Amino acid sequence: QVQLVESGGGLVQAGGSLRLSCAASGSIFRINVMGWYRQAPGKQRELVATITSGGSTNYANSVKGRFTISRDNAKNTVYLQMISLQPEDTAVYYCNLRITPNTYWGQGTQVTVSS
């Protein structure tokens, strides 16, 4: 069984920064992809960023240059450093772990950016 526990969400003013963390536990195989998705009210869940166990990253165009994803393989933890936050970044952010063919989700953490 795999568990993902997120932390680091909160309320921040526009232009501010937040750092999200997600720790995975359970049967974690070395080769996997970890990432962050987000879902704003009334919208579909969308990709924010992913990172492979080898360190290759992928970002949504809307966050490139502002968000940085990283991971600590020894701790099975993925991070999302967010700077220059804007009100449109307001959403519930979900941690995601893919160990083919399975996908696991965290419970979500709220990020609210006030204007």
Side-chain angles (χ1 to χ4, degrees), residues 31-111:
I31 299 174
N32 58 66
V33 180
M34 299 189 79
W36 293 93
Y37 290 70
R38 67 186 181 186
Q39 188 166 18
K43 294 187 177 182
Q44 289 190 330
R45 192 173 297 188
E46 63 176 7
L47 168 75
V48 176
T50 61
I51 183 168
T52 69
S53 48
S56 296
T57 58
N58 179 50
Y59 294 93
N61 287 335
S62 59
V63 307
K64 282 182 181 177
R66 300 187 299 123
F67 291 11
T68 302
I69 191 170
S70 60
R71 63 188 287 168
D72 184 334
N73 288 334
K75 296 181 180 179
N76 289 322
T77 299
V78 63
Y79 307 95
L80 186 68
Q81 179 68 50
M82 306 182 290
I83 66 171
S84 301
L85 283 160
Q86 300 302 316
E88 52 265 35
D89 296 314
T90 295
V92 177
Y93 283 69
Y94 295 92
C95 179
N96 173 274
L97 169 64
R98 277 187 282 138
I99 306 173
T100 303
N102 300 311
T103 298
Y104 305 93
W105 294 94
Q107 79 283 0
T109 185
Q110 177 70 45
V111 171

